[in-house]
Every structure is written in structure tokens, then in C-alpha cells.
Amino acid sequence: MSQPERATLERAKRGSISQLLFKCARLLNETALARARERSGLDVRPAHTTIFPHLDLEGTRLTELARRLGVSKQAAGQLVDELVEMGVLERVPDPVDARAKLIRFGRRRGGLALMEGLAVLGEIEGKLADELGRQRIDALHETLLRLLAVLERGSL
Amino acid sequence: MSQPERATLERAKRGSISQLLFKCARLLNETALARARERSGLDVRPAHTTIFPHLDLEGTRLTELARRLGVSKQAAGQLVDELVEMGVLERVPDPVDARAKLIRFGRRRGGLALMEGLAVLGEIEGKLADELGRQRIDALHETLLRLLAVLERGSL
DNA sequence: GGTATTAGTCAAGCATGGTTGACCATAATG
DNA sequence: CATTATGGTCAACCATGCTTGACTAATACC
């Protein structure tokens, strides 16, 4: 093996951005999910959490939700089914279209079910700030937002 | 809904660290994989890429590889099978133990197969630096390393 | 009002990435 | 040298998170 190859390799050993991102994301997500599970007693799975950021508070139609998620409406429908079963979401008839139903957050223990999840996220981010420093976390947040923009533009 | 709830919600809309990380990781990984596929003409899947960082250049036994990956040796074995089929990895008998085989990078087009993959990663990281600034990328790298350490310590 | 479209559901199936259990050959140990 | 442990493989199976296709009911359009 040539010398430049060895050098490339040593850099790679440290971990590529891509691999690091992936590993961190996976671990952080597992942590958050575990917390959410023990706090709510519900069997929340990763796929469920992808729904929440795409739900409007007033409610969102299944077809629209599926479109936002980038999956078939059947796939979205199944996730919603499970979350409705748990009491996290609810389906209400759409007042302006009798075919449609609006999917929105349900109420658990007197508050929006959503809030339980957000509390978990807030708590984790707080601990993270304690560990790594508020400034570093803010910078990370900012960088990730920019990175996401670049990635979604597809200009890589 | 109460006012503090609304505020929490607004913060959440921007995207939690966890969700941002996950989305960025997924997109970046897909990008890298797509690149690797078109460059190599091989059907590389996400699971394959998780193996590479755990392989020693001298070769690694399957059992050890499985241990590092945190999966059963059967699971690791299947991934290795596929990569051997593609010519990316090769199995050679372990000189010091006739039961064992060493798994190591094969040669494709005259160079270590590994280098093809590393070239893709390097290229992407370069473009990323162009888009977001070298400094920001370096900071991201550093933050991710620290984050990973915290996560692996399990102190969240 | 008839026709095409849209919202949602039911059912079956599939790709990915694992698992567990049984087994064989070689190695290490008393 | 008999026994136990280890490295690897074969086979069957499973959970997750999707997909496609067929269908019903309500709506929109001409």
C-alpha cells in the first residue's frame, strides 16, 4: 500500500463526517426514544416520531401527511393507526370534506400528548448543553440547519 | 393550549437537535451511497458501509468483526458474504488458526477497494467545506466526536 | 346528472437487517 | 486423549417500515 493511501486511511479511521453523523444520530435517537418510552409507558417506535414535525396543530389530512413524509398514504395511515391506538393522535372528521379526516394530537393526562415528547427532547438538549457547552450546541444546531438546506438542495 | 406550550411548540418547529441530526445523517448517507454506487457499479447497501470502519488492514476475524459491530456473527457473515461477492472484501485463512479466516479489503482496479469508498467520502466532505466553510465543518467534526463520546458514555 | 377525481382503507407482499438454534471442524485444556 | 471451547456456516424465522393494487365513499367538474 502506498504512502498516500496510508494517510487517507488514517484520516478515515478518525471517522468521516458522514459516519459520525450517522452514529450520533442513531445513538441520540435511541436515547430519546428510550426516555419517551419509559416516561409514557407507550411502545413508541422510530417511525412514529417522524410524523410529529409534519402535523399541524389544527390537524392534517392523511394524504397531505403522507406527501410531507414522502411515503404512500397506506404507510402513513398505519403509523397514524398505531398512534391513535396509543391515544397520542386522534382522527376527527374534516368539517369541509366528508371524505377526509383530520389527524391531530390527542390529549393525555390533561395536556397535549405532543408536549410529553417535546419535554423529553428539551431535557436531552439541556443535558447535552451541560456536557458540551451551550455555545457548541447552538453552533451545532445552526450548522445542521445549513447542512440540511444544502442537502435538500441536492447540490452535493 | 397554554402560552408556554405554544412557545415550546415554536422552538420544536425549528427542529430538535435529534431530529435534525437524524435527517442530515440520512440524507448525507444516501448521497454518499448513491455516489459510491454510480462510481463502483456495485449495489452497496447501508449495512455494508457499517463494516468498513471496523476492519483492520491486516484482516479481522468474523467473530471479532461481529463483536465490534454489536451483531451476531451470522449477521456479520452475511454482509461479508455479499461484499466478498462484489470483490470488495476477501476471506483468507488465518495463518495461526485453521478454523478462522481473516476478512480484509480486496483489490479492485489495481487498488484497495477501500480507497474507492474513501475517495467518495473525501469528495463529499470537500464539497461540504465549499458550501459551509472549512471552519464550520471542522467544528462540526469536533462536536460530533465529543457528542459521540458523551453518548457512548451513556450519561444522558 | 354522469363522469372523473380525490380521501381513505383493506389486503397482500417485499426489502432490509437482523435473530436463534443446530451443526461441523479445529483448537485448547485437563 | 477425551472433553470442552471457539470460529464459522447453514437454515429458518422475525420485526420494521415500507410498497403496489383493488376498492368504497364523497366530491368536483362539465
Side-chain angles (χ1 to χ4, degrees):
Chain A
M1 186 162 58
S2 69
Q3 209 287 323
E5 280 186 339
R6 284 211 180 279
T8 303
L9 218 60
E10 279 319 300
R11 249 184 299 128
K13 276 278 167 185
R14 199 173 171 229
S16 72
I17 289 268
S18 168
Q19 283 165 332
L20 274 174
L21 256 181
F22 201 75
K23 201 161 183 178
C24 286
R26 199 172 41 78
L27 284 172
L28 191 55
N29 246 278
E30 276 169 14
T31 305
L33 267 177
R35 278 275 186 298
R37 270 192 288 260
E38 63 187 51
R39 180 162 309 193
S40 69
L42 299 174
D43 184 24
V44 192
R45 280 176 295 117
H48 296 139
T49 70
T50 66
I51 282 192
F52 301 146
H54 297 292
L55 278 182
D56 304 314
L57 280 179
E58 324 82 64
T60 305
R61 292 188 184 177
L62 181 62
T63 305
E64 172 61 15
L65 180 59
R67 195 194 58 73
R68 293 183 190 172
L69 287 171
V71 303
S72 65
K73 45 188 190 170
Q74 294 92 323
Q78 189 179 325
L79 292 176
V80 170
D81 283 347
E82 292 167 1
L83 287 165
V84 167
E85 182 70 25
M86 296 178 194
V88 174
L89 299 183
E90 58 185 13
R91 269 188 250 248
V92 297
D94 186 327
V96 310
D97 188 336
R99 295 170 302 178
K101 296 165 194 171
L102 294 177
I103 296 149
R104 65 183 193 195
F105 292 99
R107 300 205 150 255
R108 285 170 54 79
R109 304 174 188 172
L112 269 189
L114 169 63
M115 292 303 154
E116 253 179 336
L118 290 180
V120 170
L121 291 178
E123 185 187 317
I124 284 184
E125 197 161 323
K127 284 192 189 165
L128 227 46
D130 292 345
E131 294 281 349
L132 302 183
R134 186 76 246 173
Q135 199 179 345
R136 192 172 276 280
I137 293 298
D138 288 344
L140 174 60
H141 204 149
E142 183 62 28
T143 299
L144 289 176
L145 283 172
R146 296 194 192 188
L147 175 55
L148 186 57
V150 170
L151 287 170
E152 285 184 335
R153 229 171 53 215
S155 51
L156 283 193
Chain B
M1 187 162 57
S2 69
Q3 210 287 325
E5 280 186 336
R6 286 213 179 275
T8 304
L9 219 60
E10 279 319 299
R11 250 185 297 125
K13 276 277 165 183
R14 203 177 167 224
S16 73
I17 289 269
S18 169
Q19 283 166 332
L20 274 173
L21 255 181
F22 201 76
K23 202 161 181 178
C24 285
R26 199 172 42 77
L27 284 172
L28 191 55
N29 246 279
E30 276 169 15
T31 305
L33 267 177
R35 277 276 186 298
R37 270 192 288 258
E38 63 187 52
R39 179 164 309 194
S40 68
L42 298 173
D43 184 25
V44 192
R45 280 176 295 115
H48 295 139
T49 69
T50 66
I51 282 193
F52 301 146
H54 297 292
L55 277 181
D56 303 314
L57 281 179
E58 324 83 63
T60 305
R61 293 186 184 177
L62 181 62
T63 304
E64 171 61 15
L65 180 59
R67 195 195 57 74
R68 293 183 190 173
L69 287 170
V71 302
S72 65
K73 44 189 189 170
Q74 294 93 322
Q78 188 179 324
L79 291 177
V80 171
D81 282 347
E82 292 166 2
L83 288 165
V84 167
E85 181 71 25
M86 297 179 194
V88 174
L89 299 182
E90 58 185 15
R91 268 188 249 248
V92 298
D94 186 327
V96 311
D97 188 335
R99 294 169 301 177
K101 296 165 193 170
L102 294 178
I103 296 150
R104 64 182 193 196
F105 292 99
R107 300 205 150 257
R108 287 170 51 81
R109 304 173 187 170
L112 269 190
L114 169 63
M115 291 305 155
E116 254 179 335
L118 290 179
V120 169
L121 290 178
E123 185 187 315
I124 284 185
E125 196 160 325
K127 283 192 190 167
L128 227 46
D130 291 346
E131 293 281 349
L132 301 183
R134 185 77 247 171
Q135 200 179 346
R136 192 171 277 279
I137 294 298
D138 288 343
L140 174 59
H141 203 147
E142 183 62 30
T143 299
L144 290 176
L145 283 172
R146 296 195 191 186
L147 175 55
L148 187 56
V150 170
L151 287 170
E152 285 183 336
R153 229 171 53 215
S155 51
L156 281 193

